[in-house]
Amino acid sequence: MRVLFVSRRFYPDIIGGGEISPFVLAKALSKLNVDVHVLTFTNKNPYYEEIKGGKIHRQKIKILNRFPRFSNMDFMYWQIAKATIKFVKNLNPTIVHLLNFESIPYTSFILKRKFPKISICATVNGPCFGCFTGEALDHKEKTCLKCRTFKRWSCCTNKWGYLKGSLFYLYSLWYIPLLKISYKYVDRFFLVSKAMIPILENMNVPKKKMKIVYNPID
């Protein structure tokens, strides 16, 4: 079996839960004689390394300095999708595991259309999967698990001000449907807690596609 992990960031560039978890999984799979590859991204020149049996392919990603918000959304998603398709053609993995949310938009449905036999799974570890502001709190600072179209305008203007927030709200009318379409092509979602269930349900993901898999420890 060959598994390809795809993550915007990976250990040890960033030492956080979203980066350590796939590192622990990669080590465990390698011990089971699974051929593990990790596609991740860096602002430096691309390079290859092996860490605890996992083959790490670090690709350079471009940043739009004048448009940081857009740079970390559609512009980044397209770069991740293009790199993933290229690697899948060369590696022919059995499973592609998309990590840390940013790997899913565009990548999932392009990958599924080009390689329908490959299984795609994704780890859900935060509110960004269904919250446009990324906080899972509404404009009244209350827990919000259902992103509604008109309520989102209040959330955007409260966070970014009236003018900038209104522009972001208009962008969200494209962005949220993009996420819903992308999630449709993922075969299985691994949720790190039960709190993530209503977030995905609001994004039209059927419960039969969800499985609770808590963060691993070494």
Side-chain angles (χ1 to χ4, degrees):
M1 180 180 289
R2 178 174 294 134
V3 175
L4 174 64
F5 287 100
V6 182
S7 179
R8 167 65 180 89
R9 301 168 184 84
F10 190 76
Y11 180 91
D13 282 2
I14 302 293
I15 303 178
E19 292 74 34
I20 293 176
S21 292
F23 174 58
V24 174
L25 289 174
K27 288 197 299 181
L29 286 173
S30 294
K31 292 179 180 179
L32 296 174
N33 295 321
V34 175
D35 186 14
V36 179
H37 293 259
V38 178
L39 173 60
T40 186
F41 300 86
T42 177
N43 297 333
K44 306 172 185 177
N45 291 326
Y47 63 97
Y48 168 84
E49 62 180 331
E50 292 192 17
I51 302 178
K52 300 290 184 179
K55 304 170 183 68
I56 318 300
H57 309 266
R58 300 187 190 272
Q59 297 293 300
K60 187 173 183 178
I61 196 165
K62 296 180 181 178
I63 303 294
L64 300 174
N65 294 323
R66 294 187 179 182
F67 305 96
R69 178 74 177 176
F70 181 72
S71 183
N72 287 322
M73 300 180 85
D74 283 71
F75 186 63
M76 175 178 63
Y77 303 152
W78 270 117
Q79 293 183 77
I80 293 175
K82 288 172 62 178
T84 302
I85 298 303
K86 182 179 179 180
F87 266 77
V88 168
K89 286 181 179 179
N90 295 328
L91 291 174
N92 190 28
T94 313
I95 296 172
V96 175
H97 191 151
L98 306 174
L99 298 153
N100 296 323
F101 167 69
E102 300 100 332
S103 308
I104 300 176
Y106 296 123
T107 301
S108 62
F109 61 81
I110 296 175
L111 189 61
K112 204 65 174 179
R113 285 180 177 273
K114 285 184 172 291
F115 309 96
K117 294 183 178 180
I118 291 179
S119 296
I120 302 175
C121 57
T123 295
V124 182
N125 54 9
C128 288
F129 276 77
C131 176
F132 183 68
T133 62
E135 299 174 1
L137 297 173
D138 64 15
H139 59 287
K140 296 180 180 180
E141 299 298 316
K142 293 183 178 181
T143 300
C144 178
L145 300 177
K146 294 185 177 181
C147 188
R148 304 190 184 281
T149 304
F150 295 106
K151 186 179 181 181
R152 195 185 313 133
W153 183 85
S154 298
C155 295
C156 290
T157 53
N158 181 68
K159 181 172 182 176
W160 292 295
Y162 184 79
L163 179 59
K164 191 175 181 180
S166 296
L167 293 174
F168 278 139
Y169 169 73
L170 292 174
Y171 172 63
S172 77
L173 299 179
W174 149 263
Y175 182 77
I176 295 298
L178 167 66
L179 297 188
K180 290 182 178 181
I181 292 173
S182 300
Y183 298 162
K184 181 180 178 181
Y185 291 91
V186 176
D187 298 306
R188 181 62 60 93
F189 288 89
F190 300 133
L191 287 62
V192 299
S193 76
K194 294 179 181 179
M196 302 295 110
I197 293 176
I199 292 177
L200 284 188
E201 287 182 329
N202 185 57
M203 303 301 284
N204 300 332
V205 176
K207 204 165 185 179
K208 64 181 181 180
K209 281 191 173 185
M210 305 181 202
K211 183 176 179 61
I212 305 296
V213 180
Y214 298 110
N215 279 328
I217 57 174
D218 199 337

